């Protein structure tokens, strides 16, 4: 536990004493803000239309549901941004340690590779949590437009936290496989896109295959959260997915020792 | 303290080290000398549990580097060829991190860090970010991380490479001061470096140990003498006497005698006395069974070592 905390603390100190964290958060919020603006502009337009219809047909205006029309698409947008940006953060997790030779310090110190991989994953997940918390500023603005449901907001955030965890776990694994950060980035992004397209292909892939495809796409498990439904089956999926990524990373770091390939 | 037995390591089909065997006593500074590519770093990486050997055995403080890796790691301080530094951390934060993962107890940590900062002379830069330090200071931070948990054993891989002459002298002084308190293996490809810092030297070349001695004996061997082995069939004492009288011969010693006598002859360098030796033996009517120069590999190795700084 002590070693885990020391590793976690070091990881966070490096992330926050260099531009990495700020660039990541800044970029994420900028893109999120752009999508948010578009969604709200669109939401505004359909609200106006609804108002106009109401006047035309002399009916009371239909309230447009901010939960379904704004919140849910915005949450979906955030997961797609995460799909693209998180590999840019996770690429350095192990590749950087290899490149700068610090893996030689870690791997000759009395710590285990479990402590190491768990600490790295946790640090990245904390950064993701902070980033998500900051998007709360945008979501908070929805309260001026309507009555967003707090329950749905919380379940959406839980879902996004888990989706991000899944992307981090994949990205970390790819980072253990190379000392080249660009390679780690591209392969992790590629893997995320493959998973995403499997979710999409599931609609055409026939019954059995389609079900498998739909089940391994992290974003496919997200929609219930975005709608405000917390289903344990999705939580189990994300937790297993994350554990799998951490396990693969552990195995990769552990077996690199046998090969001496670095 | 350190025992290496028949250590072999392959990278694919290529043997980086083969059958490497040596011991290091407690408190001793051992020089691990060899030209580039000799297998020094490979050996050190096995000793520090960074990677396993293909075959053979190594123990540190009685613990097997493979079977009891955690026990070994607790007792070793290691400075790899490239100091393992995090450029974004300050010297203090970095050493605090290293002390924690090396298992220095919380209540002793501050003192351990203060001590090591004094020992390696980092007082003025302890709050600076490592990225901004000069190469010499970075190397000292590297030494500090190897020393911070006061390990029994120190493994230093080419600690003076890339430093300027003044820094080299400082680092060597520092390493010398480690003797007694720590057991040290220091690798280098610089010949004079070992005589300045080490009590004993193991010379490695192309993955094999080619010599092991004190620095004085080694340089004496190489600088002023040439060794020749002569095997003669004849009365031992008489042969020895005759051989000693050949001009240029400094010393003759009898190696072993199973029927015939093998003599090891030290002669002055720059003088080929093999012909004279052969003539002497033959003119006496004794049987000359063998006559060949010894330690050729050692000289070859020395030629490829760096003698200038
Ligand atoms: N990871 C590796 N993969 C393949 N060959 C390697 C690797 N590391 C070292 N070698 C080779 O092993 C030999 C010994 O290398 P090394 O132990 O680094 O020597 P030294 O430290 O004495 O310069 C060299 O020929 C080197 O090219
Ligand atoms: Mg080397």
């Amino acid at each position: 536990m002590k070693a885990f905390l020391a590793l976690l603390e070091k990881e966070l100190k490096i992330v926050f004493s260099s531009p990495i964290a700020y660039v990541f958060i800044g970029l994420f919020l900028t893109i999120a803000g752009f999508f948010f603006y578009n969604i709200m502009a669109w939401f505004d337009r359909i609200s106006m239309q609804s108002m106009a219809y109401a006047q035309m047909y002399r009916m009371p205006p239909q309230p447009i549901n901010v939960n379904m029309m704004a919140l849910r698409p915005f949450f979906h947008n955030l997961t797609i941004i995460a799909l693209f940006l998180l590999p840019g953060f996770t690429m350095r997790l192990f590749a950087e340690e290899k490149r700068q030779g610090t893996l030689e310090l870690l791997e000759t110190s009395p710590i285990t590779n479990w402590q190491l991989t768990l600490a790295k994953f946790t640090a990245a997940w904390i950064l993701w949590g902070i980033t998500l918390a900051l998007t709360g500023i945008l979501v908070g603005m929805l309260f001026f437009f309507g009555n967003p449901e707090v329950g749905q907001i919380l379940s959406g955030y839980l879902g996004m936290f888990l989706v991000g965890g899944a992307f981090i776990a994949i990205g970390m694994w790819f980072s253990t496989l190379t000392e080249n950060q660009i390679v780690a980035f591209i392969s992790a992004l590629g893997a995320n896109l493959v998973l995403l397209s499997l979710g999409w292909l599931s609609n055409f892939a026939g019954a059995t295959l389609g079900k498998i495809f739909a089940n391994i796409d992290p974003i496919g498990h997200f929609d219930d959260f975005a709608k405000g439904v917390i289903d344990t089956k999705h939580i189990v999926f994300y937790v297993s997915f994350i554990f799998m990524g951490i396990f693969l990373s552990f195995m990769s770091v552990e077996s690199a020792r046998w090969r001496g390939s670095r | 303290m350190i025992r290496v037995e028949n250590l072999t390591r392959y990278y694919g089909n290529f043997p980086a080290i083969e059958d490497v065997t040596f011991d290091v006593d407690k408190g001793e500074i051992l020089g691990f000398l060899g030209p580039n590519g000799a297998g020094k770093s490979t050996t050190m990486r096995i000793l520090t549990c960074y990677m396993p050997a293909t075959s053979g055995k190594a123990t540190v403080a009685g613990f097997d580097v493979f079977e009891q890796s955690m026990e070994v790691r607790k007792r070793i301080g290691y400075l790899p060829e490239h100091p393992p530094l995090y450029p974004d951390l300050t010297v203090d934060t970095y050493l605090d991190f290293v002390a924690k993962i090396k298992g220095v107890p919380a209540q002793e940590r501050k003192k351990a860090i203060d001590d090591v900062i004094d020992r390696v002379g980092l007082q003025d830069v302890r709050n600076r970010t490592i990225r901004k330090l000069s190469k010499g200071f970075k190397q000292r931070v590297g030494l500090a991380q190897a020393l911070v948990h006061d390990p029994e054993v120190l493994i230093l891989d080419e600690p003076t490479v890339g430093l300027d002459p003044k820094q080299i002298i400082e680092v060597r002084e520092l390493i010398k001061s480690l003797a007694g308190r720590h057991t040290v293996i220091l690798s280098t490809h610089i010949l004079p470096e070992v005589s300045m810092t080490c009590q004993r030297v193991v010379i490695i070349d192309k993955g094999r140990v080619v010599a092991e001695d004190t620095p004085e004996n080694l340089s004496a061997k190489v600088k002023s003498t040439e060794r020749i082995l002569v095997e003669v069939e004849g009365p031992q004492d008489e042969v020895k006497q005759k051989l000693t009288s050949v001009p240029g011969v400094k010393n003759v010693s009898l190696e072993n005698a199973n029927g015939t006598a093998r003599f090891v002859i030290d002669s002055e360098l720059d003088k080929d006395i093999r012909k004279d030796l052969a003539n002497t033996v033959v003119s006496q009517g004794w049987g000359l069974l063998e006559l060949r120069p010894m330690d050729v590999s050692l000289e070859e190795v020395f030629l490829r070592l760096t003698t200038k700084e």
Side-chain angles (χ1 to χ4, degrees):
Chain A
M1 194 62 191
K2 269 190 206 151
F4 168 80
L5 289 176
L7 289 161
L8 176 61
E9 186 192 354
K10 169 227 121 190
E11 210 65 36
L12 290 172
K13 271 183 184 158
I14 288 176
V15 166
F16 285 101
S17 63
S18 65
I20 309 164
Y22 308 104
V23 169
F24 177 81
I25 293 174
L27 206 58
F28 192 91
L29 290 182
T30 308
I31 302 174
F34 172 76
F35 278 108
F36 184 75
Y37 174 80
N38 277 316
I39 287 172
M40 290 329 288
W42 175 74
F43 182 74
D44 215 36
R45 214 164 49 237
I46 56 171
S47 302
M48 297 293 244
Q49 271 171 6
S50 144
M51 219 86 105
Y53 276 126
Q55 279 192 345
M56 220 149 60
Y57 298 107
R58 298 188 185 285
M59 283 184 339
Q62 281 274 271
I64 303 291
N65 185 340
V66 74
N67 293 305
M68 284 305 155
M69 300 308 260
L71 211 46
R72 190 172 154 200
F74 182 57
F75 285 163
H76 272 284
N77 284 337
L78 292 187
T79 60
I80 298 294
I81 308 171
L83 183 150
F84 281 93
L85 287 194
L86 277 174
F89 179 75
T90 56
M91 65 183 185
R92 43 170 294 288
L93 287 176
F94 279 92
E96 178 79 349
E97 302 268 8
K98 272 193 222 176
R99 194 190 55 80
Q100 68 193 9
T102 40
L103 200 62
E104 211 156 336
L105 165 65
L106 300 175
E107 292 294 309
T108 57
S109 294
I111 57 170
T112 66
N113 284 327
W114 279 120
Q115 290 164 332
L116 180 60
T117 39
L118 284 171
K120 285 200 172 270
F121 175 81
T122 309
W125 218 13
I126 288 175
L127 178 84
W128 175 232
I130 292 172
T131 312
L132 278 180
L134 290 171
T135 64
I137 300 166
L138 297 171
V139 173
M141 282 156 71
L142 287 177
F143 284 91
F144 296 106
F145 289 88
N147 270 326
E149 206 184 296
V150 176
Q152 188 189 346
I153 293 176
L154 292 180
S155 95
Y157 271 97
L158 174 64
M160 289 190 291
F161 190 55
L162 291 169
V163 175
F167 291 146
I168 291 167
I170 299 177
M172 177 164 82
W173 180 47
F174 280 104
S175 180
T176 63
L177 300 175
T178 170
E179 60 184 85
N180 184 328
Q181 299 192 22
I182 305 300
V183 172
F185 172 73
I186 292 173
S187 42
L189 177 60
N192 289 352
L193 290 171
V194 166
L195 289 173
L196 180 72
S197 47
L198 284 184
W200 179 72
L201 278 175
S202 66
N203 299 322
F204 313 98
T208 3
L209 209 57
K211 208 163 178 183
I212 296 171
F213 282 1
N215 262 310
I216 56 174
D217 164 27
I219 287 186
H221 286 265
F222 174 68
D223 194 44
D224 279 349
F225 289 100
K227 287 193 286 202
V229 181
I230 297 178
D231 188 336
T232 42
K233 115 180 152 211
H234 298 312
I235 294 184
V236 168
F237 166 81
Y238 284 119
V239 171
S240 338
F241 197 100
I242 288 168
F243 182 77
M244 197 64 203
I246 295 175
F247 180 73
L248 289 173
S249 309
F250 165 82
M251 291 298 284
S252 160
V253 179
E254 190 84 354
S255 68
R257 275 185 57 212
W258 309 130
R259 294 198 306 271
S261 66
R262 37 185 196 207
Chain B
M1 195 59 163
I2 301 171
R3 165 158 279 173
V4 177
E5 288 166 51
N6 308 107
L7 215 57
T8 299
R9 163 79 205 196
Y10 279 81
Y11 291 111
N13 291 326
F14 172 75
I17 55 168
E18 270 187 295
D19 242 350
V20 168
T21 301
F22 63 89
D23 284 331
V24 194
D25 292 333
K26 196 169 162 50
E28 189 181 27
I29 301 186
L30 176 88
F32 200 45
L33 179 67
N36 283 325
K40 304 181 293 293
S41 299
T42 302
T43 310
M44 293 184 141
R45 285 173 155 191
I46 295 169
L47 282 176
T48 53
C49 313
Y50 183 64
M51 64 188 192
T54 307
S55 66
K57 188 174 155 73
T59 57
V60 173
F63 296 101
D64 188 288
V65 293
F66 188 71
E67 305 288 340
Q68 295 151 305
S69 148
M70 285 298 158
E71 295 303 320
V72 172
R73 292 173 184 211
K74 277 183 208 157
R75 289 167 175 81
I76 277 191
Y78 173 39
L79 175 62
E81 219 163 346
H82 307 282
L85 307 175
Y86 292 104
D88 296 309
L89 299 181
T90 64
V91 173
D92 249 347
T93 319
Y94 171 69
L95 292 177
D96 186 58
F97 165 67
V98 177
K100 282 176 182 163
I101 60 168
K102 299 285 179 184
V104 179
Q107 63 274 19
E108 292 165 28
R109 209 177 302 135
K110 194 180 168 317
K111 189 174 175 305
I113 294 167
D114 289 347
D115 281 356
V116 82
I117 280 180
D118 279 348
R119 275 176 89 182
V120 306
L122 287 167
Q123 296 90 339
D124 297 340
V125 299
R126 60 185 296 172
N127 294 315
R128 294 259 289 277
T129 306
I130 292 174
R131 182 191 306 285
K132 292 178 187 148
L133 299 181
S134 68
K135 185 134 198 195
F137 272 123
K138 281 183 182 156
Q139 192 71 11
R140 287 195 214 187
V141 179
L143 270 168
Q145 66 76 29
L147 284 165
V148 69
H149 53 306
D150 201 16
E152 292 170 57
V153 173
L154 270 168
I155 304 224
L156 310 174
D157 198 354
E158 310 221 15
T160 60
V161 158
L163 300 184
D164 68 38
K166 185 167 157 284
Q167 294 164 340
I168 290 180
I169 293 170
E170 288 167 0
V171 169
R172 282 184 192 156
E173 285 304 317
L174 184 69
I175 292 168
K176 252 198 230 172
S177 74
L178 300 173
R181 183 164 165 185
H182 308 272
T183 305
V184 184
I185 302 185
L186 160 97
S187 82
T188 178
H189 65 282
I190 302 164
L191 185 54
E193 182 153 289
V194 286
S195 38
M196 275 179 255
T197 44
C198 306
Q199 291 136 8
R200 208 154 55 81
V201 188
V202 167
I203 299 181
I204 179 171
D205 183 46
K206 294 179 185 144
R208 291 181 172 275
V209 173
V210 292
E212 186 183 339
D213 212 327
T214 63
E216 294 77 33
N217 288 354
L218 280 174
S219 35
K221 258 188 214 167
V222 174
K223 290 217 178 87
S224 58
T225 59
E226 186 145 24
R227 281 207 156 168
I228 297 168
L229 182 107
V230 188
E231 194 170 345
V232 179
E233 209 173 35
Q236 283 177 16
D237 293 340
E238 216 176 311
V239 175
K240 186 170 176 180
Q241 208 184 352
K242 278 282 177 204
L243 288 176
T244 314
S245 66
V246 174
V249 171
K250 288 163 86 182
N251 182 40
V252 178
S253 56
L254 185 65
E255 193 147 79
N256 73 331
N258 41 358
T260 61
R262 291 163 72 108
F263 298 92
V264 174
I265 296 172
D266 288 340
S267 75
E268 281 162 28
L269 208 63
D270 315 323
K271 212 174 195 178
D272 196 349
I273 58 164
R274 280 175 295 181
K275 211 163 130 191
D276 295 343
L277 290 173
N279 283 340
T280 309
V281 173
V282 175
S283 65
Q284 295 293 325
W286 300 323
L288 180 61
L289 301 176
E290 189 176 6
L291 189 155
R292 65 176 164 90
M294 283 176 76
D295 283 347
V296 184
S297 64
L298 190 61
E299 276 169 49
E300 257 176 48
V301 176
F302 271 91
L303 282 177
R304 278 183 286 124
L305 287 168
T306 315
T307 46
K308 286 192 223 98
E309 309 239 347

